[in-house]
Amino acid sequence: MSWFLRFAPHLGYRPPFQPLFSALAKSEDPVDQVGFAADQGFAGVLYAAARGRAPEEQERVGKAIAAHGLEAGCILYTTFDQLRNLSWATDSADARRWIAAELAQASAAARRVGARRLAVLGGADPQRPIAYQQAAFVRNLRFAAEIAARDGLTLCLETLSRRSVPDMLLQHMADAVAVANAVDHPAVRLIFDTSHVQIMDGDLLFHLEQAWDHIDIVQIADNPGRLEPGTGEINFASLLQFLARRGYRGLVELEHGWREPGSESERRGLEALRRLDAAASLPT
């Protein structure tokens, strides 16, 4: 039951935080989900919402991940209610104090879970020019990168579609690459999320190629609907073959829902993913 690429199902990536395989695993307990992921031969799990969970749960999940020899995917650096916080877009001592406090809590959560990457998203003020806010983002990231590096963590920037989450600092991959280049720190990398990039930029393989040197995580979800591969317009066969050709060994985080919830959809989705993975492993 081995895989060619290193997939990682989510344990609930946005409210209401329902795990990807809640039906097949017959439990929504995150520890049971970790066990199911291990049984299926997955390489890791995505516990994105860890910051909002009790430390006791973080520790339980972290111990389960370690016991099964899995890799912990990225976790959000803050809680969901703070994703639109404007501190990253603000060049001030108060903003950096807020960022440092959030990173301290994120670092503690990451240690419990065993995660090494923090997903960083920041809100933008629609009343201020975005270029000035992105310049402040660069300065704040230089400050934050030193904190992250000290704690053995990587900050992973993610673009978000304005349709999914409006008024955010990064919406286009070209902007994310420009910010990463400007920060120029090894602790600042990028997340390539197929759904968000498809909505905002299209031409996934072109943008993946352009951003390749900065990519640390790939997340997959189809568009429209952010559902399982095969339900929308994205050519996942080409995408996964691209990753295979480039020798990508990072996690491919499964960050999607199901068009029809239930065990049959989950089983079909698992089988379809295995076919895509097998095709990606073939020489081209």
Side-chain angles (χ1 to χ4, degrees):
M1 201 177 290
S2 62
W3 299 80
F4 182 72
L5 293 169
R6 302 182 66 248
F7 296 100
H10 70 76
L11 308 182
Y13 70 97
R14 65 181 181 187
F17 303 117
Q18 185 176 46
L20 185 62
F21 291 108
S22 58
L24 286 182
K26 297 181 173 60
S27 169
E28 294 193 3
D29 185 287
V31 170
D32 293 336
Q33 288 287 321
V34 171
F36 178 82
D39 289 344
Q40 296 302 312
F42 286 118
V45 292
L46 170 61
Y47 188 33
R51 259 297 316 271
R53 301 303 195 184
E56 294 78 14
E57 180 179 300
Q58 295 169 6
E59 289 179 356
R60 281 201 312 125
V61 174
K63 288 177 180 177
I65 291 171
H68 288 289
L70 301 183
E71 181 177 342
C74 68
I75 68 172
L76 287 168
Y77 85 98
T78 190
T79 52
F80 267 75
D81 61 323
Q82 292 296 325
L83 287 185
R84 289 192 177 92
N85 190 288
L86 299 178
S87 292
W88 290 104
T90 305
D91 189 6
S92 73
D94 283 344
R96 282 184 279 279
R97 275 191 288 272
W98 185 89
I99 290 167
E102 290 299 303
L103 290 179
Q105 294 185 67
S107 180
R111 282 195 301 273
R112 297 185 193 105
V113 172
R116 301 192 305 274
R117 296 171 182 83
L118 303 179
V120 172
L121 307 92
D125 183 351
Q127 304 304 313
R128 294 169 53 210
I130 191 65
Y132 294 122
Q133 297 182 76
Q134 288 179 346
F137 192 24
V138 169
R139 288 189 284 273
N140 287 331
L141 281 168
R142 287 173 181 156
F143 162 79
E146 294 299 323
I147 298 173
R150 179 197 66 202
D151 292 343
L153 297 170
T154 300
L155 305 178
C156 295
L157 315 182
E158 182 176 5
T159 63
L160 296 176
S161 77
R162 66 172 66 95
R163 188 172 72 198
S164 305
V165 189
D167 299 328
M168 299 298 283
L169 275 168
L170 295 179
Q171 297 181 333
H172 297 281
M173 281 307 299
D175 290 337
V177 170
V179 166
N181 280 330
V183 176
D184 191 24
H185 194 291
V188 175
R189 304 278 288 162
L190 302 182
I191 295 171
F192 190 93
D193 183 298
T194 60
S195 177
H196 291 306
V197 177
Q198 177 67 18
I199 292 169
M200 296 303 299
D201 299 315
D203 201 350
L204 290 182
L205 297 189
F206 170 80
H207 289 288
L208 186 56
E209 177 72 46
Q210 295 300 303
W212 185 254
D213 289 342
H214 296 289
I215 300 296
D216 223 46
I217 301 168
V218 175
Q219 295 178 339
I220 63 174
D222 215 331
N223 181 67
R226 201 164 186 87
L227 301 173
E228 71 266 29
T231 57
E233 63 189 350
I234 295 177
N235 185 336
F236 283 100
S238 294
L239 180 93
L240 298 184
Q241 287 163 8
F242 177 96
L243 296 180
R245 286 197 307 272
R246 297 301 295 262
Y248 177 72
R249 298 310 298 160
L251 290 181
V252 180
E253 297 178 343
L254 308 179
E255 201 181 70
H256 61 76
W258 301 106
R259 180 167 55 187
E260 298 176 359
S263 58
E264 284 307 308
S265 282
E266 293 178 14
R267 187 172 291 105
R268 285 195 301 270
L270 194 54
E271 291 170 354
L273 186 64
R274 288 194 182 281
R275 289 193 295 271
L276 286 168
D277 181 67
S281 70
L282 298 176
T284 56

